Amino acid sequence: MEHALSPATLTELRRPRPYPAVSVLTPTHRREPDNAQDPVRLRNVVAEAKKQLEADPSVTRERRLDIVEQLDRALAEVDLAHAEDGLVIFAAPGEHQVWSLARTVPERVVLSDTFLTRNLVAAQASERPFWVLSVSADRVTLWNGDGERVVEETTEGFPLTRSLEDPDAERQERVGDLPSTFRDEQTRHFLRDADTAVSAVLRKHPRPLYVTGETSALSLLDEIGTVTKKAAHIPHGGLAHGTPDAVSQAVGPLISAEARKEVDAVTRELEAARGRKAFAAGVDELWQSASEGRVQLLVVEENFRVTVRDDGGDHLVPAESGDLDAREDIVDEIVEQCLETGAEVRFVPDGTLAETKGIAGVLRY
């Protein structure tokens, strides 16, 4: 199952395809007892997709059989034991993808000439992804993290490893010229290579970087590093050979503190916008502003969801889930529209925007 949405991947997903490109969405659950319903819901929503393909007169038999096969392959790849909060399946002639999201999605099936990507975009915007570089004298490990999990990343040559055996060490020890581990030239070159490698990762996927290691290792990076010198340092050794859980526990307090600072800064920015008459709040107002490209900063509570429908005019009105013409993911639509027009999107803890009912923004004009 896919997790990381890069700009290149998003561009490819948005590419027009021969009709029909099928998008299947269903909410999933991380824990018992809620996750007991996930297998049944998933089978039912995939069955609904097949039913819609069968009923669509514009879909040829050959194309329908192709897409049904892709849906079956996708279904076989789903690992509900590691489910998050939402699941998206894309299927088109000759291709399929399965995406696991750390953000809930409405249950729906969409047949179109493009895949439905707004939920992926909203999920990525809410994840606050980060990198962790764990350094030691013989191994440098890169970890890919978000709010819920940390996994080891194997890209740009990571993990970097080397042997600490020095054939000349015995002679150096006899003459008293054996340098400490983080002062010898080979280690300096090794950590400089790590700095270069993580620089390449950050160019492709910019996000906050945290570096863990012994104090002497971090001091060396302060001296020779570029991006690693500027990163947040956490004096915690052993994580280059550690587990994802150990890394998550080590960086968790610092990430939580940074998140609190960000929420405080966003709150102040919204208050300042209110004072200069550049403030917007509520789904209806922000939907219009987003459609006009006027939103500079959008702030949304993490679990804010509202179902609406268009009243036939310029406004959205509340609706019940399942109603005819109901738009169950209007918040994610607003998020994607804002990102499309260059706005910054921030997700904040539930309750932060109680006065504005879960969503607010700063307008460009």
Side-chain angles (χ1 to χ4, degrees), residues 118 280-295 297-300 304 306 308-317 327 329-341 359-361 363:
R118 68 172 66 104
V283 168
D284 193 32
E285 185 177 359
L286 279 164
W287 169 246
Q288 294 183 50
S289 298
S291 300
E292 297 165 359
R294 297 176 57 208
V295 180
L297 168 66
L298 180 72
V299 186
V300 186
F304 177 57
V306 61
V308 300
R309 67 171 180 272
D310 194 325
D311 69 352
D314 297 326
H315 298 283
L316 302 172
V317 297
R327 301 167 78 164
D329 59 350
I330 189 64
V331 175
D332 286 355
E333 288 188 46
I334 294 172
V335 168
E336 185 175 54
Q337 183 64 38
C338 286
L339 290 170
E340 286 279 6
T341 55
I359 188 167
L363 302 181

Side-chain angles (χ1 to χ4, degrees), residues 192-205:
R192 191 176 289 116
D193 288 343
D195 182 87
T196 301
V198 78
S199 295
V201 173
L202 289 172
R203 282 195 297 271
K204 295 177 182 177
H205 305 285

Side-chain angles (χ1 to χ4, degrees), residues 134 136 139 141 143 152 212 236-248:
S134 296
S136 67
R139 181 182 176 91
T141 306
W143 307 93
E152 185 174 351
T212 74
H236 191 305
L239 296 180
H241 296 271
T243 64
D245 285 344
V247 175
S248 184

Side-chain angles (χ1 to χ4, degrees), residues 11-72:
T11 298
E12 168 60 22
L13 288 175
R14 285 175 168 166
R15 175 177 57 82
R17 285 162 167 81
Y19 183 86
V22 181
S23 302
V24 179
L25 291 75
T26 184
T28 51
H29 304 83
R30 299 172 187 260
R31 300 175 182 85
E32 296 178 342
D34 295 331
N35 59 6
Q37 64 183 288
D38 291 349
V40 175
R41 291 188 68 166
L42 177 58
R43 287 195 301 270
N44 287 345
V45 73
V46 170
E48 174 61 26
K50 294 178 180 179
K51 181 179 177 181
Q52 290 190 27
L53 286 169
E54 180 78 35
D56 193 330
S58 64
V59 181
T60 65
R61 180 178 183 275
E62 180 182 10
R63 184 160 292 179
R64 174 173 56 81
L65 292 176
D66 188 341
I67 297 175
V68 166
E69 181 183 358
Q70 298 299 329
L71 287 170
D72 288 338

Side-chain angles (χ1 to χ4, degrees), residues 94-159:
E95 63 173 320
H96 69 271
Q97 292 189 35
V98 180
W99 287 83
S100 179
L101 307 183
R103 183 171 168 84
T104 190
V105 298
E107 185 170 289
R108 65 187 304 191
V109 174
V110 177
L111 275 60
S112 183
D113 57 358
T114 59
F115 292 135
L116 184 67
T117 60
R118 68 172 66 104
N119 302 96
L120 272 67
V121 171
Q124 184 191 45
S126 67
E127 279 182 351
R128 299 189 187 93
F130 58 88
W131 296 114
V132 180
L133 189 74
S134 296
V135 301
S136 67
D138 64 338
R139 181 182 176 91
V140 179
T141 306
L142 182 65
W143 307 93
N144 186 344
D146 59 35
E148 296 291 338
R149 70 182 187 281
V150 171
V151 296
E152 185 174 351
E153 184 77 11
T154 54
T155 187
E156 299 294 339
F158 285 104

Side-chain angles (χ1 to χ4, degrees), residues 143-201:
W143 307 93
N144 186 344
D146 59 35
E148 296 291 338
R149 70 182 187 281
V150 171
V151 296
E152 185 174 351
E153 184 77 11
T154 54
T155 187
E156 299 294 339
F158 285 104
L160 278 64
T161 60
R162 69 169 187 137
S163 172
L164 291 181
E165 294 183 7
D166 185 351
D168 201 33
E170 187 175 343
R171 183 196 66 79
Q172 289 178 318
E173 189 171 18
R174 285 199 305 270
V175 300
D177 193 31
L178 183 63
S180 68
T181 304
F182 288 102
R183 282 173 44 207
D184 73 86
E185 196 59 31
Q186 287 182 330
T187 302
R188 293 173 68 91
H189 282 299
F190 181 59
L191 293 192
R192 191 176 289 116
D193 288 343
D195 182 87
T196 301
V198 78
S199 295
V201 173

